[in-house]
Coordinates of all heavy atoms in Angstrom, one line a residue:
A293 N 33.5 -52.1 1.3 CA 32.9 -51.7 0.0 C 31.6 -51.0 0.2 O 30.9 -51.1 1.3 CB 32.7 -53.0 -0.8
P294 N 31.1 -50.2 -0.7 CA 29.8 -49.5 -0.6 C 28.7 -50.5 -0.4 O 28.6 -51.5 -1.1 CB 29.7 -48.8 -2.0 CG 31.1 -48.7 -2.5 CD 31.8 -49.9 -2.0
A295 N 27.9 -50.3 0.6 CA 26.8 -51.1 0.9 C 25.5 -50.6 0.3 O 24.6 -51.4 0.0 CB 26.6 -51.3 2.4
H296 N 25.3 -49.3 0.1 CA 24.1 -48.8 -0.5 C 24.2 -48.9 -2.0 O 25.3 -48.7 -2.6 CB 23.8 -47.4 -0.1 CG 24.9 -46.4 -0.4 ND1 26.3 -46.6 0.0 CD2 24.9 -45.2 -1.1 CE1 27.0 -45.5 -0.4 NE2 26.2 -44.7 -1.1
D297 N 23.2 -49.3 -2.7 CA 23.2 -49.6 -4.1 C 22.5 -48.6 -5.0 O 22.2 -48.8 -6.2 CB 22.7 -51.0 -4.4 CG 21.3 -51.3 -3.9 OD1 20.7 -50.4 -3.3 OD2 20.8 -52.4 -4.2
A298 N 22.0 -47.5 -4.4 CA 21.4 -46.4 -5.1 C 21.4 -45.1 -4.3 O 21.1 -45.2 -3.1 CB 20.0 -46.7 -5.5
L299 N 21.7 -44.0 -4.9 CA 21.7 -42.7 -4.1 C 21.0 -41.7 -5.0 O 21.3 -41.4 -6.1 CB 23.2 -42.3 -3.8 CG 23.3 -40.9 -3.1 CD1 22.7 -41.0 -1.7 CD2 24.7 -40.5 -3.0
L300 N 20.0 -41.0 -4.3 CA 19.3 -39.9 -4.9 C 19.7 -38.6 -4.1 O 19.4 -38.6 -2.9 CB 17.8 -40.1 -4.9 CG 17.0 -38.9 -5.4 CD1 17.2 -38.6 -6.8 CD2 15.5 -39.3 -5.2
V301 N 20.3 -37.7 -4.7 CA 20.7 -36.4 -4.1 C 19.8 -35.3 -4.6 O 19.7 -35.1 -5.8 CB 22.1 -36.0 -4.4 CG1 22.5 -34.7 -3.7 CG2 23.1 -37.1 -3.9
I302 N 19.2 -34.5 -3.7 CA 18.2 -33.5 -4.1 C 18.7 -32.2 -3.4 O 18.7 -32.1 -2.2 CB 16.8 -33.8 -3.8 CG1 16.4 -35.1 -4.4 CG2 15.9 -32.7 -4.3 CD1 15.0 -35.6 -4.0
G303 N 18.9 -31.1 -4.2 CA 19.2 -29.8 -3.6 C 20.5 -29.6 -2.9 O 20.6 -28.8 -2.0
S304 N 21.5 -30.3 -3.3 CA 22.9 -30.1 -2.8 C 23.9 -30.0 -3.9 O 23.8 -30.8 -4.9 CB 23.3 -31.3 -1.9 OG 24.6 -31.1 -1.5
S305 N 24.8 -29.1 -3.8 CA 25.9 -28.9 -4.8 C 27.0 -29.9 -4.5 O 28.0 -29.9 -5.3 CB 26.4 -27.5 -4.8 OG 26.9 -27.1 -3.6
L306 N 26.9 -30.7 -3.4 CA 27.9 -31.7 -3.0 C 29.3 -31.1 -2.9 O 30.3 -31.6 -3.5 CB 27.9 -32.8 -4.1 CG 26.6 -33.7 -4.1 CD1 26.7 -34.7 -5.2 CD2 26.2 -34.3 -2.8
G307 N 29.4 -30.0 -2.1 CA 30.6 -29.4 -1.9 C 31.4 -30.1 -0.8 O 31.0 -31.2 -0.3
E308 N 32.5 -29.5 -0.3 CA 33.4 -30.1 0.6 C 32.8 -30.6 1.9 O 32.9 -31.7 2.3 CB 34.6 -29.1 0.9 CG 35.6 -29.7 2.0 CD 36.4 -28.6 2.6 OE1 36.3 -27.5 2.2 OE2 37.3 -29.0 3.4
L309 N 32.1 -29.7 2.6 CA 31.6 -30.0 3.9 C 30.4 -30.9 3.8 O 30.1 -31.6 4.8 CB 31.2 -28.7 4.7 CG 32.3 -27.7 4.9 CD1 31.9 -26.6 5.8 CD2 33.5 -28.4 5.5
A310 N 29.7 -30.9 2.7 CA 28.5 -31.8 2.5 C 28.9 -33.2 2.3 O 28.1 -34.2 2.4 CB 27.6 -31.3 1.4
T311 N 30.2 -33.5 1.9 CA 30.6 -34.8 1.4 C 31.8 -35.4 2.1 O 32.4 -36.3 1.6 CB 30.9 -34.7 -0.1 OG1 32.0 -33.8 -0.2 CG2 29.7 -34.2 -0.9
Y312 N 32.2 -34.9 3.3 CA 33.4 -35.3 4.0 C 34.6 -35.1 3.0 O 35.4 -36.0 2.8 CB 33.3 -36.8 4.4 CG 32.8 -37.0 5.8 CD1 31.9 -38.1 6.0 CD2 33.1 -36.2 6.8 CE1 31.4 -38.3 7.2 CE2 32.6 -36.5 8.1 CZ 31.8 -37.5 8.3 OH 31.3 -37.8 9.6
R313 N 34.6 -34.0 2.4 CA 35.7 -33.6 1.4 C 35.7 -34.7 0.2 O 36.7 -35.2 -0.1 CB 37.1 -33.6 2.1 CG 38.1 -32.9 1.2 CD 39.4 -32.7 2.0 NE 39.2 -31.6 3.0 CZ 40.1 -31.2 3.8 NH1 41.3 -31.8 3.8 NH2 39.9 -30.2 4.7
W314 N 34.5 -34.8 -0.3 CA 34.3 -35.7 -1.5 C 34.7 -37.1 -1.2 O 35.3 -37.8 -2.1 CB 35.0 -35.1 -2.7 CG 34.5 -33.7 -3.0 CD1 33.3 -33.3 -3.5 CD2 35.2 -32.5 -2.7 NE1 33.2 -32.0 -3.6 CE2 34.4 -31.5 -3.1 CE3 36.5 -32.3 -2.1 CZ2 34.8 -30.1 -2.9 CZ3 36.8 -30.9 -1.9 CH2 36.0 -29.9 -2.3
N315 N 34.4 -37.6 0.0 CA 34.8 -38.9 0.4 C 34.1 -40.0 -0.5 O 32.9 -39.9 -0.7 CB 34.4 -39.2 1.9 CG 35.0 -40.4 2.4 OD1 34.8 -41.5 1.9 ND2 35.7 -40.3 3.5
P316 N 34.8 -41.0 -1.0 CA 34.1 -42.0 -1.9 C 33.1 -42.8 -1.2 O 32.4 -43.6 -1.8 CB 35.3 -42.8 -2.4 CG 36.4 -42.5 -1.4 CD 36.2 -41.1 -0.9
M317 N 33.0 -42.7 0.2 CA 32.0 -43.4 0.9 C 30.6 -43.1 0.4 O 29.7 -43.9 0.4 CB 32.1 -43.1 2.4 CG 30.9 -43.6 3.2 SD 31.2 -43.5 5.0 CE 31.2 -41.7 5.2
L318 N 30.4 -41.9 -0.1 CA 29.1 -41.5 -0.6 C 28.7 -42.2 -1.9 O 27.5 -42.3 -2.2 CB 29.1 -39.9 -0.8 CG 27.7 -39.3 -1.1 CD1 26.8 -39.4 0.1 CD2 27.9 -37.8 -1.4
V319 N 29.6 -42.6 -2.7 CA 29.4 -43.1 -4.0 C 28.7 -44.5 -3.8 O 29.3 -45.4 -3.2 CB 30.6 -43.2 -4.9 CG1 30.3 -43.8 -6.2 CG2 31.3 -41.8 -5.0
P320 N 27.6 -44.8 -4.4 CA 26.9 -46.0 -4.2 C 27.4 -47.1 -5.2 O 28.1 -46.8 -6.2 CB 25.4 -45.7 -4.6 CG 25.5 -44.7 -5.6 CD 26.7 -43.8 -5.2
N321 N 27.1 -48.3 -4.8 CA 27.4 -49.5 -5.7 C 26.2 -49.6 -6.6 O 25.5 -50.6 -6.6 CB 27.6 -50.7 -4.9 CG 28.0 -51.9 -5.8 OD1 28.5 -51.8 -6.9 ND2 27.7 -53.1 -5.3
G322 N 26.0 -48.6 -7.5 CA 24.8 -48.6 -8.3 C 24.5 -47.2 -8.8 O 25.4 -46.3 -8.8
P323 N 23.2 -46.9 -9.2 CA 22.9 -45.6 -9.7 C 23.1 -44.4 -8.8 O 22.9 -44.6 -7.6 CB 21.4 -45.7 -10.1 CG 21.2 -47.2 -10.2 CD 22.1 -47.9 -9.3

Side-chain angles (χ1 to χ4, degrees):
H296 59 307
D297 57 356
L299 178 65
L300 173 63
V301 178
I302 307 175
S304 172
S305 61
L306 297 178
E308 177 196 0
L309 300 186
T311 61
Y312 273 139
R313 195 171 287 178
W314 304 283
N315 193 303
M317 173 171 62
L318 190 63
V319 179
N321 183 24

